[in-house]
Amino acid sequence: MTPNPEIERLRGLVSAGNPQAAAELALDLADRFPANAEIMDASIDALVRSGDIESALRLSEAAAGRGHPASRFRFGRLLREAGQAPAAIEALEAALAADHEPRTEVLLHLALAQADLRRETQAMALLEELLEIEPGHQLAQFNLASLLQAAGRGAEAERLFLQVLERDPTFSEALSRDLYGRRMTQGDRTLVRRAEKRARSQMTP
């Protein structure tokens, strides 16, 4: 597929660290090509990276209104990142009902939004559903372990997180960079330290 020159230009501005020009071009493209899902999605991403969350939300809502599952998913993610968990849940559930792929990513972000509202039971059920589809999904395993830890089920949490470390000993290093906006809690740090210590002891001859 030939790259869209308008999208490439937009991404170039983002990569060059020119947020104002990127935001202006994103809004212009969205205004000229409102029915082009690829351009709308690229414009939304550019606006988010440029820090214009309000415009990104507006475009996402307009795209989602056209019934595209991907736009629903993107809209839900943006809403959650903007701290609007109830509205994010509504959008993500719509994406789930529309069979957006990959389903695992919708389930993950829906679980995170539920956890934001302290709906731990719903969040755990969604993560368990995700792990039935993809048993080795590391972020799902970590977030489920985190919820188990917070619920006082430390032994279960440690066993689950240990499975992640057995497959990827460097996973802990990536946590601070890739938690989709969720901050590490003290309980998370305790869980990681405990699991890492156990993993090291199992490696000792």
Side-chain angles (χ1 to χ4, degrees), residues 20-38:
Q20 184 174 349
E24 289 174 356
L25 178 57
L27 291 171
D28 177 61
L29 291 176
D31 185 55
R32 288 192 286 134
F33 305 102
N36 187 313
E38 185 182 11

Side-chain angles (χ1 to χ4, degrees), residues 70-126:
S71 295
R72 287 281 183 193
F73 174 57
R74 190 179 302 277
F75 185 38
R77 284 190 61 174
L78 286 168
L79 284 168
R80 181 180 170 267
E81 291 168 9
Q84 301 181 43
I89 289 170
E90 183 178 350
L92 291 167
E93 286 179 340
L96 202 62
D99 293 326
H100 171 68
E101 295 293 342
R103 185 178 180 84
T104 51
E105 291 307 295
V106 184
L107 287 168
L108 175 63
H109 288 278
L110 185 53
L112 292 173
Q114 294 284 9
D116 288 343
L117 295 179
R118 295 193 163 292
R119 297 174 181 170
E120 289 86 359
T121 301
Q122 294 93 321
M124 284 194 280
L126 289 162

Side-chain angles (χ1 to χ4, degrees), residues 1 4 27 30 40 45 48-49 57 78 86 88-89 110-111 118 127-128 130 132 136 143 171 184 197:
M1 181 181 294
N4 186 304
L27 291 171
M40 288 294 284
D45 281 343
V48 172
R49 293 175 186 276
L57 288 172
L78 286 168
I89 289 170
L110 185 53
R118 295 193 163 292
L127 291 169
E128 287 168 354
L130 189 166
E132 287 180 6
N143 280 286
F171 181 72
M184 288 276 283
K197 182 178 179 180

Side-chain angles (χ1 to χ4, degrees), residues 126-189:
L126 289 162
L127 291 169
E128 287 168 354
E129 181 181 348
L130 189 166
L131 289 169
E132 287 180 6
I133 300 170
E134 188 180 332
H137 195 295
Q138 293 177 324
L139 280 175
Q141 287 181 305
F142 171 74
N143 280 286
L144 181 55
S146 176
L147 289 167
L148 290 168
Q149 171 81 6
R153 297 160 63 181
E156 293 176 69
E158 185 178 333
R159 283 196 298 272
L160 183 58
F161 189 59
L162 192 58
Q163 293 175 22
V164 178
L165 292 179
E166 286 172 349
R167 286 195 309 276
D168 181 4
T170 67
F171 181 72
S172 299
E173 299 172 12
L175 283 175
S176 61
R177 302 191 301 271
D178 193 17
L179 273 180
Y180 291 117
R182 188 174 78 73
R183 293 173 183 248
M184 288 276 283
T185 66
Q186 186 57 47
D188 292 337
R189 295 187 183 92

